[in-house]
Every structure is written in C-alpha cells, then in structure tokens.
C-alpha cells in the first residue's frame, strides 16, 4: 500500500459531508414526496404535498424551518462512512487495477469499480440511512432525535430493523455509482481540451453525471425510502387477546411487493415521485462534492 492510498478516503468523506450540509433540505422534501400516496390498510392516502416547492413551504410553515434539517446528524454520519468508503474504494480500486497492468482507464473497468464501491459502502452505512429517513418523516414531532429513533427501531424491530431496505439501498447505490462516477470521469476527460482541469470542467461534468444518476436511480430510491419508513406494528388478535397473541403488520413484505403495490395502487409514474427534488439535490450535491474533492486533491 502506498503512502497516498488513504487520501481518496479522507477527501471523499470530507467532500461528502460538505455536500450533504448544503443540500439536505431538498433531500427532506424528496423523502416526504416519496412516502406520500401509499396505500395503508387498503386505502390510498390523500397527497399532502404537490411538488417540491409546495413541500418546502408547507414543512417550513407547519413544522418550522428546523424540520427541513431533521435527520441531518445521521445524514452526516452516513456520509462520513458511506462517502468515505465509496469514493475511497472507487479511486483506490481504479489505481490498483491501473498499476496491475494494461487494465484500467476504460469505461467498463470504471463501472465495475463503481458498482463494488457503491454496494459495499451502502450496505455498511444502511443503519444511518434508516435513522435519517425516519427522522425526516417525523420532522420535529414526537421528540424525534437520533438516539430516540435508534431506540425505537431497536425495541420494536431488533437490530435487523437497522438494515431494513438494505437490498434496494445497495441496488440504488450501485446504480448511482455506476452512472455517476464513470460519467463524471468520462466528461471530465472529454472536456479537458476545452476547459482544462479547472472548476468549470468539474462543474459541467458533475452536473451531467447528476442527471444520469437521477434518472437511473429514482425508482429504486422510492422503493428504498418506503421500505425504510415501513414500521412494524403489532396488533392484538381479538380472538386470543387473553393469550396476548399479536399479529405483525407491515405495508410491504419486501422490495418486489413494494414495487408491485406502488405501481398497482398509484401507477408507474409513482416510481418517479420526488424526481425533481432528487435531481435538484443531486445536481448541487455532485457539484459541491466534486469541486471540493478536486480542490482537496489540488491543495494536498
């Protein structure tokens, strides 16, 4: 291992946390838009928000501006782990393959490195993602905090509840990484003769990468968000209440069931619910991230 091998991990983590702080309110509106309209108990709930701007205004007015940042602590904790591991693995794996011989540099190799980085990092960081989604849904209500949300999940769902939705989370991370990182690297190389290795190049390349990853990942993100917010409720059976028997109730039994129910009850376009805030967030997030990352590289 070379002396510089740790740097992509540190740069990735710092740049991810910086981007998260700058775009978190948009992520909160995306989460709220994605969970609304679900069928609960066989009935489809009425939509509360009609678009990103409406969600931003209503959350701010009804729950206070602070509600837009509800869940920021697990979000930053997630980026400190997910971002550090994801970008560290991607760039380190690319360098390692390039050193091994004639491999590396191609789009196919970049995609493979990105998929591995996305799956590994998202699986490890899944508990922080679950806590973030739950806090975003609750806003400032019910004394929601990082510790209280963790204890609530642990008491009612056990330690496995923290890995609720890990399947679609890993799939989403793999899709985003497979599109975002190779597209950014490709665009950056193509634009070098025009802009050089400067901020303008990083800005344009990251914006293009964010559009591709938003289109590819939004349906998986909707499924992931709904599964993570799908609380396990218990209901005492009337016929055997004396024995204390309970029935475990969830809206969805898994990713495929969530997909089928969403399309059946709300139509295929429901899979793109929250697309605008997803892209609006991914654009600035990627721009802030890649510019910060490139500046850290240049500085050190």
């Amino acid at each position: 291992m070379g002396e510089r091998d740790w740097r992509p991990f540190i740069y990735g983590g710092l740049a991810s946390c910086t981007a998260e702080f700058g775009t978190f309110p948009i992520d909160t509106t995306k989460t709220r838009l994605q969970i609304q309209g679900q069928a609960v108990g066989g009935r489809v709930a009425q939509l509360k928000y009609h678009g990103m701007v409406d969600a931003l205004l209503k959350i701010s007015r009804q729950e206070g501006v602070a509600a837009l940042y509800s869940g920021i602590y697990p979000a930053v904790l997630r980026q400190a782990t997910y971002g550090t591991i994801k970008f560290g693995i991607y760039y380190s794996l690319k360098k390692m393959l390039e050193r091994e011989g004639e491999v590396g540099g191609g789009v196919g190799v970049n995609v493979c490195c990105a998929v591995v980085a996305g799956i590994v990092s998202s699986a490890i960081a899944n508990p922080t993602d679950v806590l973030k989604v739950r806090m975003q849904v609750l806003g400032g209500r019910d004394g929601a905090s990082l510790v209280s949300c963790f204890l609530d999940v642990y008491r009612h769902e056990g330690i496995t509840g923290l890995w609720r939705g890990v399947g679609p989370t890993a799939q989403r991370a793999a899709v985003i990484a497979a599109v975002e990182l190779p597209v950014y690297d490709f665009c950056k190389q193509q634009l070098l003769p025009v802009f050089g290795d400067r901020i303008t190049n990083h800005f344009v390349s990251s914006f293009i990468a964010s559009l591709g990853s938003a289109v590819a990942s939004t349906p998986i993100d909707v499924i992931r968000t709904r599964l993570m917010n799908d609380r396990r409720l218990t209901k005492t059976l009337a016929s055997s209440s004396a024995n204390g028997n309970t029935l475990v109730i969830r809206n969805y039994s898994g990713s495929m069931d969530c997909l089928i129910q969403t399309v059946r009850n709300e139509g295929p376009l429901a899979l793109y619910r929250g697309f605008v805030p997803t892209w609006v967030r991914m654009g600035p997030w990627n721009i802030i991230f890649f510019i910060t990352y490139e500046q850290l590289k240049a500085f050190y």
Side-chain angles (χ1 to χ4, degrees), residues 1 20 25 32 42 48 81 85 97 104 125 128 131 146 164 211 217 223 232 243 260 267 274 280:
M1 299 289 285
E20 194 70 16
R32 296 287 186 97
K48 182 177 181 181
T81 52
I85 297 168
L97 290 174
T128 57
L131 297 176
L146 178 59
R164 180 78 175 156
L211 175 59
S217 68
I223 302 301
R232 180 166 63 187
N243 299 325
I260 293 169
V280 169

Side-chain angles (χ1 to χ4, degrees), residues 1-276:
M1 299 289 285
E3 62 174 314
R4 296 193 178 187
D5 288 346
W6 58 270
R7 293 188 178 183
F9 291 87
I10 302 299
Y11 299 162
L14 288 173
S16 295
C17 291
T18 304
E20 194 70 16
F21 270 112
T23 60
F24 193 75
I26 304 172
D27 187 55
T28 299
T29 64
K30 178 210 72 170
T31 299
R32 296 287 186 97
L33 286 168
Q34 287 178 337
I35 63 163
Q36 68 175 0
Q38 299 175 82
V40 180
R43 299 178 61 186
V44 178
Q46 190 175 2
L47 299 184
K48 182 177 181 181
Y49 310 113
H50 303 281
M52 184 187 74
V53 175
D54 184 51
L56 273 170
L57 292 174
K58 280 184 178 173
I59 294 169
S60 303
R61 193 182 304 126
Q62 296 170 5
E63 304 171 43
V65 177
L68 293 170
Y69 274 91
S70 187
I72 187 64
Y73 297 121
V76 172
L77 182 59
R78 175 182 182 269
Q79 291 302 337
T81 52
Y82 170 72
T84 300
I85 297 168
K86 172 183 170 181
F87 294 101
I89 287 179
Y90 175 69
Y91 287 111
S92 298
L93 201 54
K94 268 182 64 178
K95 277 187 180 179
M96 185 184 74
L97 290 174
E98 285 165 8
R99 282 200 303 266
E100 289 297 322
E102 326 287 309
V103 209
V107 174
V109 172
N110 290 353
V111 169
C112 290
C113 293
V115 168
V116 171
I119 290 174
V120 172
S121 57
S122 63
I124 292 172
N126 199 78
T128 57
D129 225 358
V130 171
L131 297 176
K132 181 198 77 163
V133 167
R134 303 253 174 132
M135 288 181 71
Q136 284 179 318
V137 171
L138 289 172
R141 294 174 286 133
D142 304 325
S145 68
L146 178 59
V147 175
S148 66
C149 276
F150 170 79
L151 292 175
D152 181 66
V153 174
Y154 182 72
R155 283 175 188 145
H156 295 98
E157 303 170 55
I159 202 69
T160 56
L162 293 168
W163 268 268
R164 180 78 175 156
V166 68
T169 297
Q171 292 162 13
R172 173 183 178 269
V175 168
I176 288 178
V179 174
E180 177 185 272
L181 298 176
V183 167
Y184 173 80
D185 285 343
F186 177 79
C187 290
K188 180 183 167 185
Q189 290 301 316
Q190 297 303 309
L191 293 173
L192 279 176
V194 181
F195 298 120
D197 193 8
R198 293 195 293 270
I199 286 181
T200 308
N201 187 341
H202 308 154
F203 182 96
V204 175
S205 299
S206 56
F207 185 79
I208 294 171
S210 69
L211 175 59
S213 56
V215 171
S217 68
T218 297
I220 304 172
D221 193 32
V222 170
I223 302 301
R224 175 192 76 106
T225 300
R226 292 187 171 197
L227 283 174
M228 285 183 170
N229 189 54
D230 190 21
R231 300 164 183 273
R232 180 166 63 187
L233 304 174
T234 55
K235 180 180 179 182
T236 303
L237 297 175
S239 58
S240 54
S241 57
N243 299 325
N245 292 335
T246 57
L247 176 67
V248 174
I249 303 171
R250 279 197 191 276
N251 285 328
Y252 313 112
S253 60
S255 303
M256 189 55 65
D257 181 50
C258 183
L259 172 65
I260 293 169
Q261 283 199 49
T262 300
V263 173
R264 182 190 297 145
N265 296 322
E266 305 164 57
L269 286 180
L271 295 173
Y272 275 90
R273 187 162 282 155
F275 172 76
V276 173

